[in-house]
């Protein structure tokens, strides 16, 4: 075969090969262009509900005072009445305390209990030579951070920080204190050891003397503690109120105080003048703990509805301010606070009766919504309880033991409740709630906290 013939033969073979490759490519394109079945691999998964842990609440215990004599000691005065609610709960006591006969109660819902929710509230009425008034407080889950807004250490005013550790490891606690002139340079307030199953009592006057407007930040390492602030007042020789202040967990730009009662303002003014009391007026205490000042808008919503009274103020960073809330008509109010920087706040109100004066601090309450399910309330023994509900933004629907309550946006209402009961509340929307107590003994309040969430199912992928 000549060279020319071989080249032609090779050319034909290459042409056939190229033609075959082109046909194959066209076939592939044609196959890809034709829709086919879609294959999707679904990962295997399993839905698992975690085992619920034991839920613990700490009830702060008796009101504290000083013993008489040349060497006065901190002592427990009287005994609070407690209402605990939850199927299968158990109670135990913290008996190791810096106060003589002091201590706290721990209300626990064991992991194996048939119910998911637990709630408890303590109430104490005193009519002693140096301690008189009504004190009510919700029992608290221990927390690594707490902010206590209230109290005073000026003449005749006693404020005491109470730290209770229900856990099995020691808690190392640091205290920071702010006043009207800014952060206070305190000594001996870092590295406080609260042993497991023990209660520490720290008089605020020892670290912040003669301070009219204190705010205390509490942080703990190791174990968590339940922190409260007890306040008592003597004007001259007359006892003029006791109170237990419960904490908020963190500063926030939106703060809601569900209830601020204004009770017989004319009678209060007469009693305060006769006694010479200068710190019983209705005020809002605010602290901006950060480095920047905050513009604060305060709205006071009355039961009658509407926007109510509004107040705008600029609050400097680091200095506590008590804002006078002016002449308010008698009735129940909710306090809505919007700030441009995170703040902590609480409001003080007072009441007068034939028995004397009493003041109470009303602390901000957390949001309650649809995800909370059944919210178990614990209404303290005794009379005078009123449930306060406020919808700070949108509309909400609340049922309390089957009774339906509808709230419009930025509105509030109040309901009478029987003492020593445990109603169940269900929320649709978002509300804040608290219970005020008013009797001849005085004025007090306890918040409704979001329940410790029961474990929800989670999806696990292998």
């Amino acid at each position: 075969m000549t060279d020319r013939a071989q080249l032609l033969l090779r050319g034909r073979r290459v042409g056939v090969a190229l033609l075959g490759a082109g046909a194959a490519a066209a076939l592939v394109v044609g196959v890809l262009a034709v829709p086919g079945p879609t294959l999707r691999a679904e990962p295997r998964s399993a839905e698992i509900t975690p085992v619920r842990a034991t839920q613990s609440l700490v009830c702060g215990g008796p009101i504290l005072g000083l013993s008489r004599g040349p060497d006065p000691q901190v002592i427990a005065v009287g005994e609070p009445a407690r209402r605990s609610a939850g199927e299968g709960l158990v109670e135990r006591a913290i008996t190791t305390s810096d106060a003589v006969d002091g201590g706290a109660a721990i209300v626990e819902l064991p992991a194996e209990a048939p119910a998911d929710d637990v709630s408890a509230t303590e109430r104490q009425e005193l009519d002693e030579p140096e301690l008189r008034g009504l004190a009510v407080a919700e029992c608290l889950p221990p927390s690594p951070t707490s902010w206590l807004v209230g109290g005073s250490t000026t003449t005749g005013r006693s404020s005491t920080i109470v730290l209770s550790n229900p856990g099995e490891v020691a808690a190392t606690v640091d205290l920071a204190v702010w006043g009207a002139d800014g952060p206070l340079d305190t000594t001996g307030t870092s590295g406080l050891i609260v042993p497991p199953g023990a209660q520490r009592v720290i008089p605020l006057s020892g670290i912040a003397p003669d301070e009219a407007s204190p705010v205390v930040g509490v942080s703990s390492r190791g174990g968590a503690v339940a922190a409260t602030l007890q306040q008592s007042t003597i004007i001259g020789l007359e006892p003029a109120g006791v109170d237990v202040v419960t904490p908020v967990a963190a500063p926030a730009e939106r703060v809601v105080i569900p209830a601020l009662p204004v009770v017989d303002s004319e009678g209060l003014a007469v009693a305060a003048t006769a006694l010479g009391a200068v710190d019983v007026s209705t005020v809002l205490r605010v602290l901006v703990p950060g480095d920047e000042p905050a513009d604060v808008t305060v709205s006071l919503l009355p039961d009658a509805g509407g926007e109510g009274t509004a107040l705008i103020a600029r609050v400097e960073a680091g200095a506590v301010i008590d804002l006078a809330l002016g002449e308010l008509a008698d009735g129940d109010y909710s306090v809505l606070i919007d700030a441009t920087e995170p703040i902590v706040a609480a409001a003080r109100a007072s009441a007068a009766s034939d028995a004397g004066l009493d003041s109470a601090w009303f602390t901000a309450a957390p949001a309650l919504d649809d995800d909370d399910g059944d919210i178990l309330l614990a209404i303290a023994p005794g009379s005078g309880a009123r449930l306060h509900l406020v919808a700070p933004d949108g509309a909400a629907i609340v049922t309390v033991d089957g009774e339906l309550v509808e709230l419009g946006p930025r509105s509030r209402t109040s309901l009478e409740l029987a003492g020593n009961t445990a109603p169940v509340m269900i929320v649709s929307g978002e509300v804040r709630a608290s219970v005020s107590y008013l009797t001849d003994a005085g004025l007090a309040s306890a918040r409704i906290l979001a329940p410790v969430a029961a474990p929800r199912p989670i999806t696990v992928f292998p």
Side-chain angles (χ1 to χ4, degrees), residues 105-155:
I106 303 173
V107 179
E108 289 185 337
L109 191 71
E112 64 275 11
D116 289 331
D117 297 320
V118 60
S119 180
T121 304
E122 282 190 335
R123 171 176 178 158
Q124 190 168 357
E125 296 183 11
L126 289 176
D127 190 9
E128 302 291 333
E130 296 178 353
L131 293 169
R132 196 211 70 79
L134 175 66
V136 181
E138 72 276 6
C139 301
L140 305 164
S143 173
T145 60
S146 302
W147 292 80
L148 298 164
V149 185
S152 171
T153 60
T154 57
T155 301

Side-chain angles (χ1 to χ4, degrees), residues 22 76 91 105 127 162 200 243 246 267 286 302 325 378 399 460:
E91 299 188 10
D127 190 9
V162 180
R200 294 291 309 272
D243 191 29
T246 53
V286 181
L325 295 182
T399 60
V460 178

Side-chain angles (χ1 to χ4, degrees), residues 186-360:
T186 58
T187 58
T189 57
S190 298
L192 301 172
I193 303 300
V194 185
Q199 184 183 77
R200 294 291 309 272
V201 176
I202 299 97
L204 187 55
S205 59
I207 56 179
D210 199 31
E211 177 55 57
S213 306
V215 170
V216 181
V218 182
S219 60
S220 65
R221 307 182 301 277
V225 299
T228 58
L229 179 75
Q230 293 193 13
Q231 168 75 22
S232 62
T233 301
I234 294 178
I235 301 176
L237 298 177
E238 293 294 325
V242 295
D243 191 29
V244 175
V245 180
T246 53
V248 294
E253 294 178 3
R254 158 58 71 88
V255 172
V256 179
I257 301 170
L260 179 62
V262 177
V263 182
D264 185 15
S265 52
E266 291 186 6
L268 175 64
V270 171
T273 300
L275 198 58
V278 295
D279 54 357
V280 298
S281 59
T282 305
V283 298
L284 178 68
R285 180 168 297 178
V286 181
L287 166 68
V288 182
D291 297 326
E292 298 294 330
D295 294 321
V296 175
T297 301
V298 181
S299 299
L300 297 169
L301 304 183
D303 268 341
E307 286 298 313
T309 304
L311 170 68
I312 297 175
R314 186 169 180 83
V315 181
E316 297 301 323
V320 183
I321 185 171
D322 286 350
L323 297 171
L325 295 182
E327 298 294 332
L328 296 174
D330 292 353
D332 294 322
Y333 296 82
S334 291
V335 185
L336 276 56
I337 311 168
D338 292 291
T340 56
E341 295 290 329
I343 64 169
V344 292
R348 183 187 68 207
S350 304
S353 68
D354 292 341
L357 290 175
D358 191 28
S359 296

Side-chain angles (χ1 to χ4, degrees), residues 46-53 55 116-117 367-375 427 450-460:
E47 193 173 80
I48 297 174
T49 300
V51 176
R52 187 190 69 216
Q55 301 176 39
D116 289 331
D117 297 320
L368 307 172
D369 57 30
D370 308 65
D371 292 337
D372 291 321
D374 292 351
I375 302 169
V427 173
V452 179
R456 294 182 171 89
I458 58 175
T459 301
V460 178

